[in-house]
Amino acid sequence: MTSQIPSTPTADQIRRAPKVLLHDHLDGGLRPGTIIELARAQGYDRLPETEPDKLGIWFREAADSGSLERYLETFAHTCAVMQTREALVRVAAECAVDLAEDGVVYAEVRYAPEQHLEAGLTLEEVVEAVNEGFREGERQARASGHRIRVGALLTAMRHAARALEIAELANAYRDSGVVGFDIAGAEAGFPPTRHLDAFEYLKRENNHFTIHAGEAFGLPSIWQALQWCGADRLGHGVRIIDDIEVAEDGSVSLGRLAAYVRDKRIPLEMCPTSNLQTGAAASYKEHPIGLLRKLHFRTTVNTDNRLMSGTSMSKEFEFLVEAFDYTLDDMQWFTVNAMKSAFIPFDERLAMINEVIKPGYAELKSEWLFQQTATTSDSSRRTG
Ligand SMILES: O=c1[nH]cnc2c1ncn2[C@@H]1O[C@H](CO)[C@@H](O)[C@H]1O
Ligand SMILES: [Zn+2]
């Protein structure tokens, strides 16, 4: 009897596989029940629903608008209830716990400190509260048998004018929980070069940053992010596909920018479901990640906003497995790519890859061997 190596991972294997998340917004990942409790405690009465399931659906549907600007409007409700120290600690702790339970072993979670000052917290107090929450969540996860490490990325809003200040904040906390910087918000009309001073400052400090680019706006945004601002990674970057031509005979040619991105191994933080909601891609099957993975771009898989997209790392992988027949080897490839692209020190990334990620996948990939043995001995008992 010949045995068949299973090629498609099951949903359970996808969940148990070690995963690495580089692009996840803290204010886009709250539990609906937590939003309701925090709103009640703080007297925020503008929530569109007051029952957790309904509120979760409301966020997904409201974010399903086909426009980044409308998608971003939903964050008014999450930011509204994230204005106190206690709320920030709780939301960050729950974030770490939820990711850990989903099999994420390393995550960089971002948020914009400037959006959490309405009740009088200082920027420093916001960062310290979120850090405390992440540490608390890591402890809780460990107590229930999961290991996760979470680093914070500080985001500046591209329509605002506080990027340098937030970059300085990221630099001040670089040895205590903050691993880098980002800019986010509406892309069209707000080019990253508006914040050149922040990026130049971080370069001088040998610090790291990623830039949301090539999501709602195309190649010029990616080009600016890389060649003017010097981004280490691209948030989304899906529109790099506009610089790639696939001929009818299947041959592929890269424009100068796409070639640069691939040659320099620029990490692409792809967020498939989020892209379907904002109109950056039409379907999972048509999502550029399929081609980019084939062409060996440094592609990674991410959630963006778990609440607004009703998603998780496992779900994103499930959709991709379904669309592209990915195997555990493909999942491992995306995961190692992400770990290589993280902003923590090289030796720690390497240890994560060699001591956590590769052994985790090796274990999953060998499961079929043992299942096979059980079936064989069962049937031999029956026939013997
Ligand atoms: O996909 C996205 N593109 C651009 N901006 C985003 C995206 N998701 C969230 N934010 C913005 O980032 C802020 C800080 O976390 C959020 O409040 C939201 O306005
Ligand atoms: Zn994002």
Side-chain angles (χ1 to χ4, degrees):
M1 178 185 164
T2 53
S3 52
Q4 192 72 48
I5 303 178
S7 57
T8 309
T10 63
D12 178 57
Q13 284 180 317
I14 292 173
R15 191 185 47 77
R16 285 185 292 126
K19 293 172 286 293
V20 170
L21 174 51
L22 300 179
H23 191 132
D24 186 81
H25 293 258
L26 185 66
D27 53 332
L30 289 79
R31 298 176 187 169
T34 299
I35 302 175
I36 291 165
E37 282 180 31
L38 291 175
R40 214 167 271 149
Q42 298 171 18
Y44 178 74
D45 60 6
R46 269 178 275 160
L47 286 186
E49 296 285 350
T50 50
E51 195 265 308
D53 287 344
K54 283 191 183 148
L55 185 62
I57 293 168
W58 181 87
F59 272 104
R60 281 204 295 281
E61 288 180 349
D64 227 354
S65 58
S67 130
L68 177 60
E69 285 74 9
R70 300 245 303 283
Y71 177 94
L72 293 176
E73 285 170 14
T74 59
F75 288 81
H77 298 297
T78 54
C79 287
V81 299
M82 295 170 71
Q83 300 298 333
T84 65
R85 202 189 82 82
E86 294 71 28
L88 288 168
V89 173
R90 172 173 177 183
V91 168
E94 290 179 353
C95 167
V97 167
D98 292 351
L99 294 178
E101 280 178 1
D102 190 40
V104 175
V105 292
Y106 176 81
E108 291 179 1
V109 177
R110 64 190 75 194
Y111 64 99
E114 68 200 64
Q115 298 192 126
H116 305 278
L117 307 176
E118 281 166 26
L121 292 179
T122 63
L123 289 172
E124 287 77 10
E125 285 168 339
V126 171
V127 173
E128 284 165 27
V130 172
N131 281 349
E132 187 183 323
F134 285 150
R135 301 295 82 76
E136 173 60 28
E138 288 169 344
R139 272 194 298 277
Q140 286 178 21
R142 179 170 279 277
S144 54
H146 299 287
R147 295 192 298 179
I148 186 167
R149 225 182 114 172
V150 182
L153 297 177
L154 301 191
T155 294
M157 300 307 294
R158 24 195 344 151
H159 60 267
R162 300 187 80 157
L164 180 57
E165 200 182 346
I166 303 302
E168 286 168 351
L169 190 68
N171 202 53
Y173 283 89
R174 66 188 301 173
D175 295 321
S176 30
V178 175
V179 298
F181 173 80
D182 163 55
I183 58 167
E187 189 172 6
F190 300 102
T193 42
R194 288 185 79 224
H195 307 292
L196 216 46
D197 52 352
F199 303 123
E200 285 172 351
Y201 164 77
L202 289 168
K203 287 262 157 210
R204 286 199 300 276
E205 294 295 335
N206 305 301
N207 212 327
H208 313 287
F209 56 93
T210 174
I211 295 181
H212 275 79
E215 177 189 17
F217 202 68
L219 296 175
S221 181
I222 295 178
W223 175 71
Q224 280 201 4
L226 294 177
Q227 312 303 14
W228 287 80
C229 307
D232 297 286
R233 306 195 306 234
L234 292 172
H236 299 283
V238 266
R239 298 281 169 114
I240 197 63
I241 202 77
D242 297 348
D243 203 32
I244 301 175
E245 234 175 354
V246 183
E248 269 182 23
D249 65 357
S251 62
V252 176
S253 62
L254 306 187
R256 296 247 190 245
L257 182 60
Y260 182 91
V261 169
R262 187 169 73 162
D263 291 343
K264 298 285 261 190
R265 318 304 301 137
I266 308 283
L268 301 171
E269 306 162 358
M270 312 238 106
C271 312
T273 302
S274 166
N275 291 159
L276 299 197
Q277 289 180 293
T278 62
S283 68
Y284 292 106
K285 267 194 190 327
E286 293 162 271
H287 193 283
I289 196 167
L291 180 62
L292 294 168
R293 189 259 175 276
K294 263 195 215 140
L295 296 176
H296 289 272
F297 279 75
R298 174 72 74 80
T299 324
T300 68
V301 175
N302 301 275
T303 48
D304 208 11
N305 299 292
R306 286 169 287 119
L307 171 67
M308 286 75 181
S309 296
T311 197
S312 65
M313 275 301 269
S314 294
K315 283 191 188 159
E316 293 300 305
F317 273 113
E318 279 178 42
F319 293 133
L320 296 177
V321 163
E322 161 90 29
F324 300 110
D325 292 327
Y326 285 149
T327 62
L328 282 170
D329 283 325
D330 293 299
M331 266 191 86
Q332 177 174 333
W333 182 83
F334 283 116
T335 306
V336 169
N337 268 353
M339 201 62 239
K340 283 180 179 170
S341 312
F343 286 158
I344 54 170
F346 173 73
D347 52 351
E348 296 174 24
R349 284 183 263 155
L350 208 58
M352 274 288 206
I353 291 171
N354 291 327
E355 316 300 339
V356 179
I357 295 167
K358 286 187 176 171
Y361 281 90
E363 171 140 6
L364 289 169
K365 282 188 271 180
S366 62
E367 275 177 353
W368 67 279
L369 281 167
F370 300 97
Q371 285 159 4
Q372 195 66 36
T373 312
T375 326
T376 311
S377 62
D378 277 348
S379 59
S380 64
R381 250 202 308 281
R382 268 199 303 279
T383 51

